[in-house]
Structures are given as C-alpha cells and as structure tokens.
Amino acid sequence: MKKNNFKKIAESIIAVGFKPAENQISILGSGFSIDWKGKILSAAHLYNQLAPELRDKLVGMVMTKKDETGLEYYTWLPLSLINKDDKNDLAIFQLKNYDQTILRPLVLGDSDKIDVGDEAYFIGFPYAAQLINDGFGITLVTNKTIISNIKQDGIDPKHPRNWFIVDAISNPGNSGCPLISFEDGKARVVAIMT
C-alpha cells in the first residue's frame, strides 16, 4: 500500500461543527466528500444532537490547499442538511462554496465484500476541539483496525449487514468519518463510523 494514499484520502475528509457565536467553533465530528459538487456524507446524530436554533449554524472545516512542504491550509464553510436517515445514522450535507476547496470525493465500496479479520482504516478529527485548544492545531488522525465482527439485525433481508465492530477505539470527533478498505490498492469507503 502506498504511503501517499492516505495523503490523498485526507483531502476528502472534513470536520463538522457549528458556530455558537461569531468567533467560536464547536466541533461535533467528521464527514467526507462523495461527489464533485460539495455533497458530504456523515452521521445523522451529529445534526440531531444540535438544538434547532443552531442547525443553521453548521459549518465544515475543509482543506483549501497544500504547499510544497506538505503544510495544509483549512477554512470553515457553511453546511446545510440535504437529507438524513436516523435509523442508519446517515446524513448528507451540502457544503457551500465547494469550489474554494481541494476536496476530492471518496469512492463508495461494497460492504458485502468485507469479512471478519479484514484490515480497515478510519480517518477523522477525534478530539479536534481539545487538540486545537492545546495548541496542536488541526489534527486529522488515521487509525488502523480490523473487522472484529459483523452484526445483523435479521429484520431487512436486503441489508443483512447492519454494523461492523472494529478493534480500535473510535474517539469523540470520529463520528461520521469513513471506514476504508483497500481493494487492489484502491481506497473504498465500506462504512461510516458512528
């Protein structure tokens, strides 16, 4: 697996937050780009936990450029909810001013091809607010894991796989980030961390 695969994947991940006041940001979790028009896939509970009066203050922290030394530059852009599926904890948001970013969509894979023992990775912004407050700045974290178990509820025969259980700890801020598998060296999103 090439080292720069993760550098390219990082260009697809955003932090999801909201602005409680003009010069304040609270980070809720993560999300990722799924098309070239600014659609972001994330976890519905990030939106649901917000008080109704704060939902129009949603923002996404997105990468706007990388320089030749590898230094990454980010900005906060408005996010709005397009649709959500509470049962499956999924939400699609629209990122405004998408053309100001270098976001690239991730490819969605087939979760039916994943099995217990397979390696996977999740990439998000755990403890982002705390790390920023501690002077570490914007910190995108990659975690390696394996699929420990696959849970099925047996209710919907069209969707026999409801949850992957992984052996790595997903910390606050990782909710909504992609769980990635590599097929033939290519990154594929097979689930979303909740």
Side-chain angles (χ1 to χ4, degrees):
M1 181 180 334
K2 292 181 189 170
K3 199 173 173 182
N4 31 353
N5 280 339
F6 292 106
K7 290 181 180 179
K8 291 293 182 194
I9 292 167
E11 296 174 8
S12 306
I13 314 296
I14 75 164
V16 176
F18 68 99
K19 288 187 168 186
E22 186 55 37
N23 293 318
Q24 290 182 315
I25 298 279
S26 291
I27 298 173
L28 301 167
S30 303
F32 59 96
S33 176
I34 57 169
D35 73 4
W36 292 104
K37 297 179 182 177
K39 289 196 178 48
I40 303 295
L41 191 56
S42 188
H45 75 265
L46 300 181
Y47 181 83
N48 294 341
Q49 71 189 18
L50 278 176
E53 65 271 14
L54 295 174
R55 289 178 177 170
D56 64 345
K57 298 182 180 191
L58 268 176
V59 288
M61 185 183 69
V62 297
M63 196 180 302
T64 56
K65 72 175 186 173
K66 276 187 192 177
D67 68 21
E68 59 281 350
T69 68
L71 192 61
E72 299 167 348
Y73 297 84
Y74 290 82
T75 192
W76 289 96
L77 296 174
L79 272 178
S80 57
L81 180 71
I82 295 174
N83 202 355
K84 65 186 176 90
D85 175 353
D86 290 329
K87 181 181 174 205
N88 293 301
D89 197 17
L90 297 172
I92 297 178
F93 296 98
Q94 180 65 49
L95 182 72
K96 293 183 183 169
N97 303 318
Y98 178 77
D99 57 339
Q100 297 175 13
T101 76
I102 61 169
L103 279 176
R104 60 179 56 238
L106 290 177
V107 177
L108 302 180
D110 184 352
S111 62
D112 286 339
K113 292 182 177 177
I114 303 302
D115 211 342
V116 172
D118 286 352
E119 284 186 1
Y121 299 81
F122 56 98
I123 305 170
F125 290 92
Y127 293 118
Q130 185 63 49
L131 290 169
I132 289 170
N133 289 340
D134 290 345
F136 288 102
I138 297 153
T139 308
L140 189 63
V141 178
T142 301
N143 294 275
K144 182 178 180 180
T145 187
I146 64 163
I147 306 299
S148 298
N149 201 342
I150 299 170
K151 297 303 288 179
Q152 301 168 309
D153 66 13
I155 295 171
D156 186 350
K158 286 190 250 175
H159 299 287
R161 296 170 164 222
N162 302 99
W163 300 98
F164 293 137
I165 296 174
V166 297
D167 75 334
I169 295 173
S170 176
N171 293 302
N174 271 330
S175 287
C177 79
L179 181 69
I180 294 169
S181 160
F182 283 87
E183 297 172 22
D184 300 325
K186 296 179 182 174
R188 300 283 187 259
V189 177
V190 292
I192 294 174
M193 299 300 287
T194 61

